[in-house]
DNA sequence: CACCGTCAAGTCGCA
DNA sequence: TGCGACTTGACGGTG
């Protein structure tokens, strides 16, 4: 069972999502951008390995305009060596990677040009994974698409257009239930027609359930769509975002909910992709709770989280400190952090934490910087004060603050 | 450096 | 028939 996250690593500065605008596209700019993205992909994979994260979704943005008309650059050839190294690293470290074209890639559209673009896009994702030379456990996730007033026809269109894909794409494609249109039973029936695996998204299922079936019954059927060549069944996990539209992904995984889910599904030994805003932070949390970790790692995590927690509640800050000191373990630690993160903004705590963070600079900041900071703070623009602290942290290279999660919510 | 409009895609509901 | 909402991080122009 692997636990992973999608596309963006908040715990490192590396990013595979550099882009260029369509109107600025040139071969040179494209190659420069892709070179940087690939360089950072391997850095993110190394970061993952260091943190025991062995499941990762590679961003579709890795190759800018990877499936666009404008792009006829033979990138797989040009970057053959880099791609090969990345693939070697994935295999050597027993990682599993996947990709997930966006909501605009619609294979079942009644419009032929939309279908052509969708096929082209799936083939781009396939070309990328093929270039890594990773095996067919590395998948490409797609939703069924639109309904167009006739669900049965829409599903038939998906099936028909699936057969237009290349052999490799057919072996990589998997389909997922969505939060609005196609529930898990409908996805399973499409899967039954074309014999490709199904990825079950628990949050989408809660928004768009199929009738009268227990989740564990569904999982049994879903699991049966995965052959040994496909690897372990993949599941998508998110908690519902509180106070937002139904189906919106939560900011972070609620540890206790995840633990219950994990233990329920563990009988199938699936890989679980977290789809939450805080990405790798939640992945590390879940891995620490479910796979265990040592106290040194937890202390490091606490160092990163402490000002985030203090910003919400000084009481939680003290409680977390105590949990770490008395070594009560990852679950006690992270569930208290979840509790703090769930609290509403509190001006008093926010301001108090600004003071704590300011203490890193009080002996080295200039008088002008000091007056700027306290003016922002006095005027009540606490966010501006915090952004100013981030600037100081960069200027004075305060690694402790820079490496913490404190500035992530700006 | 902060700020904010723009980009890129397809579907669907509504006028 | 056409338009806005939906989505989302990053780009790029402005001050």
């Amino acid at each position: 069972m692997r636990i992973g996250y999608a596309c963006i690593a908040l715990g490192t500065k590396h990013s595979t999502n550099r882009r260029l605008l369509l109107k600025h596209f040139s071969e040179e700019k494209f190659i420069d951008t892709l070179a940087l993205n690939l360089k950072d992909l391997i850095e993110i994979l190394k970061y993952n390995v260091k943190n025991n994260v062995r499941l990762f979704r590679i961003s579709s943005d890795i190759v800018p305009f990877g499936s666009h008309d404008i792009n006829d650059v033979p990138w797989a050839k040009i970057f053959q060596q880099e791609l090969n190294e990345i693939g070697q690293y994935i295999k050597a470290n027993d990682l599993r990677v996947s990709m997930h074209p966006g909501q605009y890639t619609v294979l079942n559209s009644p419009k032929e040009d939309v279908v052509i673009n969708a096929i082209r896009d799936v083939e781009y994702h396939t070309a990328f994974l093929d270039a890594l030379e990773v095996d067919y456990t590395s998948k490409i996730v797609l939703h069924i698409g639109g309904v167009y007033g006739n669900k049965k026809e829409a599903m038939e269109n998906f099936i028909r257009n699936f057969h237009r894909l290349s052999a490799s794409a057919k072996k990589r494609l998997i389909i997922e239930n969505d939060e609005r249109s196609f529930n898990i039973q409908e996805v399973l029936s499409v899967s039954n027609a074309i014999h490709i695996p199904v990825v079950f998204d628990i949050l989408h299922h809660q928004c768009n359930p199929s009738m009268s079936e227990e989740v564990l019954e569904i999982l049994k059927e879903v699991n049966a769509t995965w052959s040994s060549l496909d690897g372990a069944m993949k599941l998508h996990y998110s908690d519902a975002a509180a106070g937002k539209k139904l189906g919106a992904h939560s900011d972070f995984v609620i540890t206790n909910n995840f633990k219950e889910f994990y233990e329920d599904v563990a009988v199938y030994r699936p890989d679980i992709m977290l789809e939450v805003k805080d990405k790798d932070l939640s992945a590390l949390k879940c891995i620490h709770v479910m796979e265990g970790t040592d106290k040194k790692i937890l202390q490091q995590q606490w160092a990163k989280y402490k000002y985030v927690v203090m910003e919400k509640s000084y009481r939680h800050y003290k409680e977390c400190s105590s949990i770490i000191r008395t070594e009560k373990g990852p679950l006690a630690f992270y569930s208290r952090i979840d509790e703090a993160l769930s609290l509403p903004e509190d001006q008093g705590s926010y301001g108090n934490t600004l003071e704590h963070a300011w203490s890193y600079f009080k002996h080295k900041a200039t008088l002008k910087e000091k007056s700027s900071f306290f003016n922002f703070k006095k005027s009540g623009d606490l966010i501006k004060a915090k952004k100013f602290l981030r600037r100081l942290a960069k200027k004075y290279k305060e690694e402790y603050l820079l490496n913490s999660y404190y500035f992530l919510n700006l």
Side-chain angles (χ1 to χ4, degrees):
Chain A
M1 286 177 83
R2 299 176 174 91
I3 297 168
Y5 65 98
C7 305
I8 295 169
L10 299 176
T12 81
K13 288 183 223 46
H14 300 289
S15 161
T16 64
N17 303 305
R18 293 174 195 82
R19 304 165 124 182
L20 44 155
L21 297 185
L22 192 50
K23 61 187 169 193
H24 297 148
F25 188 91
S26 72
E27 176 158 349
E28 190 195 357
K29 280 201 176 104
F30 165 78
I31 287 175
D32 291 349
T33 306
L34 177 52
L36 291 171
N37 281 350
L38 291 179
K39 201 180 260 200
D40 273 5
L41 174 57
I42 194 136
E43 293 303 323
I44 289 173
L45 294 174
K46 285 178 186 167
Y47 164 83
N48 288 346
V49 166
K50 197 179 109 196
N51 289 288
N52 285 323
V53 183
R54 291 179 301 125
L55 182 69
F56 182 66
R57 179 186 302 160
I58 298 170
S59 168
S60 296
D61 289 338
I62 185 99
V63 180
F65 297 103
S67 64
H68 199 284
D69 262 345
I70 200 171
N71 187 356
D72 56 3
V73 182
W75 51 265
K77 268 211 172 67
I78 297 171
F79 290 97
Q80 190 174 15
Q81 193 188 329
E82 288 85 349
L83 290 161
N84 196 265
E85 275 170 31
I86 294 166
Q88 291 296 331
Y89 187 81
I90 289 167
K91 288 179 269 189
N93 290 281
D94 193 30
L95 306 182
R96 188 183 197 185
V97 296
S98 62
M99 298 183 86
H100 191 349
Q103 58 185 308
Y104 300 111
T105 300
V106 185
L107 195 58
N108 76 337
S109 175
K111 300 175 197 156
E112 176 62 10
D113 59 331
V114 173
V115 176
I116 287 171
N117 287 339
I119 290 172
R120 200 202 302 253
D121 199 44
V122 172
E123 295 299 345
Y124 145 63
H125 288 83
T126 303
F128 189 85
L129 293 175
D130 285 357
L132 299 181
E133 294 178 24
V134 289
D135 66 21
Y136 287 103
T137 65
S138 286
K139 296 300 188 185
I140 297 165
V141 184
L142 213 57
H143 294 285
I144 302 300
V147 174
Y148 315 102
N150 185 335
K151 204 172 256 191
K152 186 165 166 284
E153 254 176 45
M155 288 158 72
E156 285 164 4
N157 279 342
F158 185 94
I159 291 162
R160 188 169 51 253
N161 292 332
F162 169 80
H163 290 295
R164 297 165 66 178
L165 294 170
S166 68
S168 186
K170 284 183 193 145
K171 285 198 264 185
R172 295 210 186 272
L173 202 71
I174 61 179
I175 43 181
E176 177 189 354
N177 58 314
D178 67 77
E179 77 279 19
R180 237 180 23 172
S181 304
F182 294 94
N183 69 30
I184 189 62
Q185 275 313 337
E186 290 156 346
V187 173
L188 278 165
S189 89
V190 172
S191 160
N192 189 47
I194 51 182
H195 309 293
I196 62 174
V198 170
V199 56
F200 178 67
D201 184 308
I202 182 71
L203 180 67
H204 293 165
H205 180 68
Q206 285 158 2
C207 306
N208 181 20
S210 59
M211 294 219 284
S212 68
E213 257 194 315
E214 296 299 323
V215 165
L216 282 182
E217 277 303 303
I218 292 169
L219 281 182
K220 194 174 167 187
E221 280 184 68
V222 171
N223 192 50
T225 65
W226 292 80
S227 76
S228 61
L229 286 177
D230 296 315
M233 168 168 69
K234 298 187 71 175
L235 303 176
H236 287 178
Y237 182 89
S238 174
D239 287 297
K244 287 196 192 154
K245 231 186 67 176
L246 197 69
H249 291 150
S250 58
D251 291 342
F252 56 91
V253 168
I254 295 165
T255 310
N256 287 312
N257 293 355
F258 179 79
K259 183 169 185 285
E260 191 181 340
F261 176 79
Y262 184 99
E263 286 165 355
D264 281 347
V265 303
V267 58
Y268 295 110
R269 316 307 297 166
D271 287 344
I272 305 174
M273 179 63 72
L274 306 180
E275 293 189 324
V276 286
K277 292 211 176 63
D278 77 350
K279 307 286 182 183
D280 48 321
L281 276 53
S282 275
L284 294 194
K285 169 168 80 178
C286 292
I287 288 166
H288 292 164
V289 168
M290 301 316 309
E291 300 177 10
T293 189
D294 58 47
K295 66 175 182 184
K296 198 174 150 228
I297 301 287
L298 277 191
Q299 283 166 358
Q300 285 169 6
Q301 284 300 303
W302 175 230
K304 289 171 187 282
Y305 268 115
K306 62 199 291 183
Y307 294 120
V308 177
V309 171
M310 189 192 285
E311 188 170 274
K312 287 299 187 74
S313 151
Y314 195 72
R315 179 170 69 82
H316 284 79
Y317 169 79
K318 297 298 280 183
E319 286 170 359
C320 286
S321 274
S322 155
I323 288 168
I324 289 295
R325 198 173 51 248
T326 57
E327 296 176 31
K328 291 203 172 123
L331 183 60
F333 172 61
Y334 284 116
S335 44
R336 191 65 98 254
I337 287 190
D338 291 348
E339 219 179 274
L341 293 177
S342 305
L343 294 171
E345 297 287 333
D346 176 74
Q347 297 286 301
S349 302
Y350 200 105
N352 180 42
T353 307
L354 286 175
E355 299 271 1
H356 276 259
W358 166 254
S359 68
Y360 286 89
F361 309 108
K362 64 180 172 193
H363 296 304
K364 41 184 150 178
T366 64
L367 283 175
K368 203 176 155 205
E369 285 166 346
K370 183 174 179 180
S371 78
S372 292
F373 173 71
F374 282 101
N375 281 339
F376 289 139
K377 195 160 172 295
K378 269 187 213 119
S379 73
D381 199 339
L382 301 186
I383 292 174
K384 214 159 199 162
K386 189 170 173 182
K387 284 181 177 169
F388 189 72
L389 284 183
R390 180 174 63 183
R391 231 164 91 185
L392 292 183
K394 283 180 188 164
K395 177 180 170 188
Y396 294 110
K397 299 189 170 55
E398 262 320 324
E399 296 300 324
Y400 189 88
L401 278 183
L402 292 173
N403 291 333
S404 82
Y405 302 146
Y406 181 48
F407 295 120
L408 288 183
N409 66 349
L410 284 178

